[in-house]
Amino acid sequence: MDVTKREITKIAREVAKFTARTMKADGVGVAEFDVVHAVRKNPGITQAEICKILGADKGAVAKQTTNLEAKGYIRRAENPADGRSQMIFPTEKAESLKYSKAHIESLFYEWLLEALDEDEKSEFARLLDRIYRRCKEESKAGFAAMTARIQEGEN
């Protein structure tokens, strides 16, 4: 039984709602921001690589990159390794956006934690970091343990 009652997910969902609402004022949707983030982390990336990183549909990424290029957040260049694809790079405008989503989320989390005293905040942060590290290890392992657990449940 999940003793967390999926509350981590529920909190993240509420923060995401607020973040999306706030970011719309900049004219960038959350999905578009995810594309910008992928491009910032991987300058010269192709649309196919963005799809792979985000687990997103090819058509959706094509539309998002077209919109982001029109808004001035990304630029394209010919791919010398493959004439059929283009390399995508962030612009200065994209770099100035990089703190936007994280800043909004941080403010929300800071506000949430104001309900805790300093000892509670420290303990919460310690336990959350422990859970986060386990999550990252599983991700780096290709989600092997979770995939096995799901497959066990199917049998």
Side-chain angles (χ1 to χ4, degrees):
M1 181 172 167
D2 178 16
V3 297
T4 71
K5 298 182 248 172
R6 297 181 50 251
E7 288 180 334
I8 294 169
T9 301
K10 293 172 185 175
I11 292 168
R13 189 178 302 130
E14 296 304 321
V15 172
K17 277 194 244 178
F18 176 74
T19 302
R21 182 182 304 162
T22 305
M23 289 183 71
K24 282 186 181 179
D26 285 338
V28 178
V30 175
E32 287 179 329
F33 184 86
D34 290 341
V35 171
V36 170
H37 184 71
V39 172
R40 279 187 40 254
K41 293 288 185 185
N42 305 280
I45 193 171
T46 65
Q47 280 187 191
E49 292 166 330
I50 293 171
C51 291
K52 188 180 287 186
I53 288 170
L54 299 180
D57 177 71
K58 184 178 172 182
V61 170
K63 183 177 178 180
Q64 290 161 347
T65 54
T66 298
N67 290 342
L68 289 167
E69 186 175 24
K71 293 175 184 179
Y73 289 103
I74 62 171
R75 66 175 179 79
R76 298 173 196 258
E78 288 186 28
N79 186 347
D82 179 3
R84 297 170 297 164
S85 67
Q86 295 179 321
M87 298 166 50
I88 303 170
F89 296 90
T91 63
E92 282 186 37
K93 191 173 181 181
E95 293 299 333
S96 69
L97 183 65
K98 72 181 178 180
Y99 298 108
S100 176
K101 184 177 180 185
H103 181 70
I104 294 164
E105 292 169 345
S106 291
L107 288 175
F108 199 106
Y109 288 123
E110 286 171 13
W111 176 81
L112 286 174
L113 293 179
E114 287 174 4
L116 304 178
D117 67 32
E118 291 306 312
D119 288 340
E120 290 170 326
K121 285 179 190 176
S122 293
E123 181 63 4
F124 176 75
R126 184 186 73 76
L127 293 170
L128 188 61
D129 183 63
R130 187 170 162 191
I131 293 167
Y132 172 75
R133 288 176 190 270
R134 180 173 165 92
C135 180
K136 285 303 283 186
E137 287 171 12
E138 179 65 4
S139 176
K140 287 179 181 178
F143 301 104
M146 289 309 307
T147 300
R149 194 169 279 200
I150 288 170
Q151 289 171 345
E152 288 171 10
E154 293 174 354
N155 296 329

